[in-house]
Amino acid sequence: MTKIRYGGDYNPEQWPAEVWDDDHRLFDLAGIDTLTVGVFTWALTQPNEDTYDFTTLDRIVERAAAEGRAICLATGTGAHPAWLARAHPEVTRVDFEGRRHRFGQRHNSCPSSPVFRRLSAEMARRLASRFAGHPAVVAWHVGNEYGGACYCDRCTAAFRVWLRERYTTLEQLNAAWYTTFWSHTFTSWDEIEAPSMLTEHWRDAEHTAFQAITIDYRRFMSDAMLANFRDEKAAIRESDPDTPVTTNFMGAYQPIDYHRWAADLDFVSWDNYPPDDEHPEWMAFTHALMRGIGGGRPFWLMEQTPSTTACRDVNPLKRPGVMRLWSWQAVAHGADAVLFFQMRAGRGASEKYHGAVIGHAGRADTRVFREVAQLGAELDRVGDAVLGTRVPARVAILFDWDSWWALEASDGPSRLVRYQNIVRAHHRAVWSAGAGADVVPVTTDLSAYDVVIAPALFMLKGDLAARLEEVARRGGTVLTTFLSGRVDENDQAFLADVPGPLGELTGVRVDEWDARPAGVVNPVDFGDLRCEGSLVFEIVIPRGARTVATYGADFYAGTPAVTRNTYGQGEAWYVATALDQAGVDRVVGQILDRHGLRGPYAGVPGLEATDRGPVTFLLHHGSEPVEVSAPADATELITGVRITRGDPIRLAPGDVALLSRPT
Ligand code: GLA
Ligand code: ZN
């Protein structure tokens, strides 16, 4: 492939073959080159336990191939057939309340069901042996949007096996789970239950008597579904040794720790359905998170709607130009494919009003189709300019599912602290300052970064504290916040001053913390800037750190809310409360300035500027036109216009410019 792939989910098994001619005619008009096929075809390809029938799938694949289109071939196991659920009730899940589900919906198979595991792998095996080496098949799409959880007896039994592997002995498990509390000491592995509403939980998945059990069950569920993915990938590999295998992730999806999956995917792909009223920063963050799972390699945007979703109570339409802008944004952040859900709208069931490239009337003269076709032509023109290239970043933001789970399941100090909000506020500050950020797992090698931001890093594992110290020692800057360095990997408090192993680096000690209801703020005074803190107020005792900002009220008025500690050649900052965005911007901005990382267009309202490979992408998310001057001699890749350094570049709302530096 010599260009960014363009296309998406295509389900022609839902409509008569006469329509397929029309589909392909329209795909040609829109520059569609890649189709994801077979995502929900299990009932079609295996009509009963003893019969496999690939007639229709063959036709779909052959037709697409004859039209010169590439295929991302799905294994179709995201929804099991009705006959399977009837013949083997074990394939359906037991929910958090303990109810065994019957056949219905999708993404609903028990990951520990031997029948599901055997038959899903067998489907992948048969598909691979049929299509391995097919020149049109460029990727395998296993399952679909793995997620949810099961609490059945088989999962509970598998959990016990997983626990034996993790802890070896019951003594070690009891110690890790702190089971002396509330008389929970386990004397046999069989006494261990899945943490649910019938056992350790009340109210919901975040209210648990034993955080360590709940966190381990989440780790186990991530691994159980990963095992399903591995089953199918291994079956594919029996006959297809090379074609890359992926599954579509969902961004910052809480139930599954995608970092545990990273090594198993040949490339990362994800489905971008932003809450429409949110900032474009939301997507920039998620692209960076997904890119980080792949170690910085390009990913695929596996799904986005060309126009509207159908799954929300209210489904706003993407305004003219927005689909194009967000597609280029994905490319700017590392996507090598821009794919839609869905290529053509189905007639019935719950997604009939979901946006599609081709609507029910099959027209090419709709606004949405025209915009899709325009982008198709642009992607052709831009060709391979950024294909396969990386997105440089000097800033790392640590993201950790364990910390997310532990913090939000914690009793105290506050249920109002949402991990993502804290992390994203820091990303937003980096993003609006025009500096690139990678969002990476805590195990990432940090030696390439000038700045490492570790917001709300509640759980501190392994040698991370030492590696953060090393960042500062060699001259970098580390920023961490309240509710960091609180617990070890078993969710047990460190027997040390808060922030535990981060104390040396940050040069602070915290003995007390105050949590206040939503809406209660405490002024935070930087001297030249007053902003507000909220939710949690840690009371900081400096042990070498200098005070940058102080609380303005309550009995801790005048004590530090933000500190800065010299460590080696560098620094470590500690932020003791949930600062408002102005406060986070201030702290992050000062750190970026220390390293000269503020982008040239920081402060231009709505303008996102980001580099990938030899190209600087200008993406204008704002509602007013802007004019900036060209950062260097360049060619604008969509128009082909040559630009000299310093030339004015005007961007209307929604405009993009791809400035390619001469090589
Ligand atoms: C998900 C699924 C698709 C479809 C879309 C609709 O991303 O993977 O099958 O349901 O949502 O938005
Ligand atoms: Zn189960």
Side-chain angles (χ1 to χ4, degrees), residues 368-634:
V368 169
F369 189 88
R370 275 195 297 265
E371 290 193 22
V372 169
Q374 184 202 328
L375 178 60
E378 291 179 0
L379 287 164
D380 272 341
R381 230 167 291 147
V382 171
D384 65 355
V386 293
L387 200 69
T389 62
R390 297 214 170 205
V391 179
R394 314 288 316 152
V395 178
I397 298 175
L398 302 188
F399 193 88
D400 183 40
W401 262 268
D402 276 331
S403 285
W404 189 358
W405 295 337
L407 189 154
E408 295 191 0
S410 180
D411 283 299
S414 171
R415 293 274 177 192
L416 301 179
V417 179
R418 307 313 288 176
Y419 177 68
Q420 278 206 80
N421 292 347
I422 309 298
V423 178
R424 283 173 188 275
H426 289 81
H427 179 266
R428 186 167 296 137
V430 176
W431 184 83
S432 18
D438 284 343
V439 177
V440 296
V442 294
T443 48
T444 297
D445 176 4
L446 300 175
S447 57
Y449 297 105
D450 294 332
V451 175
V452 178
I453 303 180
L457 193 65
F458 194 77
M459 182 179 288
L460 207 77
K461 296 170 286 192
D463 62 350
L464 180 58
R467 290 188 295 113
L468 289 170
E469 285 172 358
E470 183 49 33
V471 171
R473 188 174 297 120
R474 63 170 165 78
T477 305
V478 175
L479 161 63
T480 191
T481 73
F482 66 107
L483 295 180
S484 294
R486 291 303 188 114
V487 297
D488 67 12
E489 63 177 350
N490 300 318
D491 198 62
Q492 293 192 18
F494 291 109
L495 298 178
D497 295 322
V498 169
L502 298 173
E504 273 294 307
L505 174 62
T506 53
V508 298
R509 177 182 125 201
V510 173
D511 294 352
E512 299 177 82
W513 43 89
D514 189 17
R516 311 292 288 169
V520 174
V521 296
N522 194 316
V524 171
D525 190 356
F526 285 83
D528 56 348
L529 171 81
R530 257 170 101 82
C531 62
E532 288 171 342
S534 64
L535 305 180
V536 170
F537 308 94
E538 292 183 345
I539 302 174
V540 171
I541 302 168
R543 287 160 64 223
R546 283 161 292 150
T547 300
V548 175
T550 52
Y551 291 119
D554 220 309
F555 80 93
Y556 39 91
T559 68
V562 179
T563 61
R564 172 180 186 173
N565 190 40
T566 303
Y567 192 93
Q569 306 295 304
E571 312 195 312
W573 289 61
Y574 192 80
V575 176
T577 181
L579 291 178
D580 60 16
Q581 194 60 47
V584 178
D585 288 350
R586 165 57 185 266
V587 170
V588 169
Q590 219 174 318
I591 292 171
L592 295 175
D593 286 340
R594 174 168 185 261
H595 295 276
L597 292 176
R598 216 181 269 270
Y601 306 121
V604 181
L607 185 65
E608 176 178 15
T610 174
D611 287 346
R612 180 178 177 197
V615 175
T616 298
F617 288 73
L618 301 182
L619 305 150
H620 188 31
H621 303 282
S623 52
E624 298 298 328
V626 294
E627 184 177 304
V628 296
S629 67
D633 293 354

Side-chain angles (χ1 to χ4, degrees), residues 224-235:
M225 286 184 213
L226 173 58
N228 294 166
F229 173 85
R230 282 181 178 158
D231 289 345
E232 293 194 36
K233 185 176 177 185

